[in-house]
Amino acid sequence: MKLELIATATFGLEAVVKREIQDLGYKILKSEDGKITYLGDERAIVRSNLWLRSADRVLLKMAEFNAVTFEELFQQTRGLAWEQLIPLDGKFTVTGTSVKSKLHSVPACQSIVKKAIVERLREYYMAEYFEEIGAEYTVKVTILKDHVTLTVDTSGAGLHKRGYRVRDVAAPIKETLAAAMVQLSFWREGRLLVDPCCGSGTIPIEAAMIGRNIAPGLNRTFAAEGWELIDSKVWKEERKKAFGAINYDSELRIFAFDVDEKAITSAKENAIEAGVDD
């Protein structure tokens, strides 16, 4: 199934995220401030969440349309095939933003979108009540200058949550930003990397993971892992491939220092958790 996916990014990192998506082999449809839209399939959702180092989230794009009234928002949303994604027991919440639009009340827009999805699912499943005890589907309605984009979050927790940060320090840098900094520096295996103020070790750890080709999402779970849309075998296959892609033989010269003893302790523990302490 062909799907439109959106990788969200911190402003200024769009080019890095775009390059990562292209390296995975997917076609870029458009690049905008804070997001890259690209074509993929169910497996692309899995691979994107496992491998994108600098993106914040991976969203499944459901539709784009213009709406200046609540009725237009309701009918356009209700007309989408939500039943192809959300099962009878699916748990779905609606979040939203609105900028420079006639539909400026975000709570009202969220309520209208939720009602439209419920009406569509009620009609399809012939059910009056939804328990919402199954997998999570977080729907986001984004309205910019009366242009509506409906997406569903496939990631769950932000992609910067790698799962290796067991000890922290004050004002830690995000893992996604650290990975982008390393990539923008054109550091690679064989070159020296020194971080004289390493804090909890995020930059050297991300560099080591890049140098060893360790998928950043290997140690965590994602919202889409519970979706019926994606066979659980696909997740197992892609994780197995990711483990097989790790290069344990790469010779890395990475040095990290800090004046704070607690920071060094944190960095060591995080490096152990990330599997790059050596």
Side-chain angles (χ1 to χ4, degrees), residues 66-219:
N66 291 323
V68 294
T69 67
F70 288 129
E71 181 64 19
E72 286 179 329
L73 179 62
F74 178 84
Q75 293 298 343
Q76 296 263 36
T77 303
R78 190 175 181 273
L80 301 174
W82 294 99
E83 67 277 1
Q84 292 182 8
L85 178 67
I86 305 175
L88 182 60
D89 66 345
K91 177 185 177 183
F92 60 99
T93 55
V94 180
T95 63
T97 59
S98 179
V99 179
K100 297 179 181 178
S101 301
K102 290 183 176 65
L103 299 178
H104 55 81
S105 172
V106 173
C109 291
Q110 291 174 198
S111 179
I112 291 293
V113 169
K114 175 85 173 183
K115 183 180 178 183
I117 297 173
V118 168
E119 286 294 317
R120 174 80 186 204
L121 296 180
R122 180 181 288 152
E123 184 181 300
Y124 181 81
Y125 291 116
M126 299 180 67
E128 288 300 315
Y129 176 73
F130 297 94
E131 288 187 306
E132 297 194 43
I133 56 174
E136 192 167 344
Y137 300 82
T138 302
V139 179
K140 183 170 184 178
V141 50
T142 304
I143 311 177
L144 175 61
K145 296 179 181 178
D146 301 324
H147 188 72
V148 180
T149 304
L150 291 173
T151 58
V152 184
D153 181 19
T154 74
S155 301
L159 293 182
H160 70 282
K161 293 194 177 284
R162 314 285 206 219
Y164 65 70
R165 194 188 287 275
V166 291
R167 290 282 296 269
D168 225 332
V169 296
I173 187 173
K174 268 191 174 183
E175 291 85 341
T176 46
L177 178 56
M181 289 171 64
V182 173
Q183 292 181 86
L184 286 169
S185 74
F186 297 105
W187 175 84
R188 62 182 182 276
E189 182 187 353
R191 296 185 67 182
L192 180 66
L193 187 145
V194 179
D195 185 353
C197 307
C198 70
S200 57
T202 309
I203 292 174
I205 289 171
E206 288 295 323
M209 290 176 72
I210 290 171
R212 285 220 167 136
N213 199 37
I214 299 174
L218 267 182
N219 291 326

Side-chain angles (χ1 to χ4, degrees), residues 45-73:
I45 292 176
V46 179
R47 296 186 70 221
S48 297
N49 276 297
L50 284 174
W51 282 101
L52 292 183
R53 298 183 187 278
S54 303
D56 292 327
R57 291 181 181 278
V58 177
L59 309 176
L60 171 60
K61 180 178 165 185
M62 296 297 293
E64 274 188 300
F65 53 84
N66 291 323
V68 294
T69 67
F70 288 129
E71 181 64 19
E72 286 179 329
L73 179 62

Side-chain angles (χ1 to χ4, degrees), residues 13-32:
L13 299 184
E14 295 88 354
V16 180
V17 175
K18 180 180 178 181
R19 188 161 56 243
E20 289 183 11
I21 294 169
Q22 289 173 325
D23 288 344
L24 288 176
Y26 300 118
K27 181 183 177 183
I28 305 293
L29 296 179
K30 57 181 174 178
S31 179
E32 305 167 271

